[in-house]
Amino acid sequence: MNTVLGNKLRFAAEVSELGPLCRVDLWAAGKWLTRDDNMAYVPQFRRDVLHTAAWIRSGEGSPMPFAGLSAEATHRRLVHRAGDDEPEADYLFRGRFQTLLWGPTTDNVTACLFREGDLLVITLEFWREEHLINHPEDAGAVFVVEIPAAEFVGILEGVAVALDTGQSQGSP
């Protein structure tokens, strides 16, 4: 059984091969985000996705912090000093905007989320060297998604329901 939720040109999820580990494919801005690892450990992934949905549903999320910058430029400015020598204040500030922290399935992208009222702006950048070698068109690119908060929450909650269905079917 495959469950597809959302629009791959904005944000979409496909859940299949249900069990304690299941295949979860994610797309944003027309890019397949989980091409490096699309097998999710259901309890952890479901918890993380529901946490993000609840956080957004409660109205959380900060607007873009730098006046006059595009979403792409804001993303670049937030992550340009990330790493071992990053000052703690920058690390804490950047952490306010990080999203899609859902374990190994999404750890190949750096993603930020900005809230502009009922609209979410999500920026994504692939960072793994192997991915960038195999997909040179993604090197240095920041992808931007604009999606209504309610639509994004609906997709995430739909993913959780699909994962619940797999667990309740008694898959090994």
Side-chain angles (χ1 to χ4, degrees):
M1 169 190 103
N2 284 4
T3 301
V4 180
L5 304 148
N7 177 325
K8 291 180 184 179
L9 295 177
R10 269 203 311 243
F11 188 86
E14 180 177 356
V15 178
S16 59
E17 298 178 22
L18 297 169
L21 285 176
C22 74
R23 187 172 63 92
V24 177
D25 287 302
L26 301 172
W27 289 267
K31 300 303 275 183
W32 181 22
L33 302 181
T34 53
R35 82 171 59 236
D36 292 346
D37 181 358
N38 64 353
M39 294 305 290
Y41 177 61
V42 171
Q44 172 264 320
F45 190 82
R46 183 181 179 282
R47 181 194 66 235
D48 292 348
V49 166
L50 283 176
H51 179 267
T52 300
W55 183 76
I56 292 169
R57 191 181 331 97
S58 71
E60 293 294 330
S62 299
M64 285 192 267
F66 309 118
L69 289 184
S70 68
E72 179 181 346
T74 298
H75 175 97
R76 289 184 193 286
R77 187 168 174 184
L78 283 170
V79 303
H80 87 281
R81 288 178 50 169
D84 293 337
D85 62 344
E86 176 181 25
E88 184 177 4
D90 289 355
Y91 172 80
L92 294 172
F93 181 70
R94 183 172 44 87
R96 291 179 32 203
F97 304 98
Q98 288 182 301
T99 193
L100 305 185
L101 302 172
W102 302 336
T105 56
T106 57
D107 70 0
N108 61 322
V109 294
T110 300
C112 297
L113 181 142
F114 312 103
R115 187 178 199 117
E116 303 294 334
D118 291 332
L119 184 70
L120 303 178
V121 178
I122 302 170
T123 58
L124 305 121
E125 181 178 16
F126 292 96
W127 63 266
R128 282 198 182 128
E129 186 174 346
E130 183 177 342
H131 175 94
L132 299 175
I133 289 169
N134 292 329
H135 303 281
E137 70 278 9
D138 293 345
V142 174
F143 303 97
V144 179
V145 174
E146 293 184 358
I147 186 169
E151 181 180 340
F152 189 64
V153 167
I155 293 167
L156 299 183
E157 290 176 341
V159 167
V161 167
L163 294 171
D164 268 348
T165 301
Q167 293 291 51
S168 66
Q169 289 176 348
S171 301

